[in-house]
């Protein structure tokens, strides 16, 4: 769990060919922007900080960079977890 202002910056190593599920919840106000590199390269998603859980499937292939940044004026907390799907 991290503060929205600090964001999430992680690089887990995922097994090649295995499917994973990233669960992300933001509670507070505003939005957070989620980015994956290289999995789903170029894809971004905006998550509302309304407490709802957003999920994204990821296919493993080595290190995956996960970055989440709060948008301007956002505050609260972000919780995240990566599980085998």
């Amino acid at each position: 769990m991290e503060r929205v202002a600090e964001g999430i910056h992680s690089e887990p190593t995922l097994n090649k060919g295995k499917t994973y599920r990233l669960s992300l919840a933001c509670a507070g106000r505003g939005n957070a922007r989620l980015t994956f590199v290289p999995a789903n390269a170029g894809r971004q998603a905006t998550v509302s900080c309304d407490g709802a859980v957003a999920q994204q499937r990821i296919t493993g292939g080595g290190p995956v960079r996960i970055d989440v940044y709060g948008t301007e004026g956002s505050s609260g907390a972000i919780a995240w977890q990566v599980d085998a799907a």
Side-chain angles (χ1 to χ4, degrees):
M1 182 177 237
E2 303 290 340
R3 288 186 240 189
V4 172
E6 295 172 0
I8 296 170
H9 311 287
S10 183
E11 195 168 322
T13 298
L14 306 179
N15 293 327
K16 186 174 179 138
K18 190 168 183 176
T19 303
Y20 296 85
R21 180 180 52 241
L22 170 68
S23 299
L24 179 72
C26 183
R29 70 169 200 255
N31 297 299
R33 173 135 339 251
L34 168 66
T35 304
F36 294 101
V37 177
N40 300 324
R43 290 203 49 197
Q44 294 185 353
T46 300
V47 178
S48 178
C49 290
D50 61 2
V53 176
Q55 295 184 335
Q56 175 71 45
R57 288 195 179 273
I58 305 168
T59 301
V64 176
R65 181 76 184 171
I66 299 170
D67 288 304
V68 180
Y69 298 92
T71 59
E72 187 174 335
S74 296
S75 65
I78 302 171
W80 66 286
Q81 180 173 320
V82 175
D83 294 306

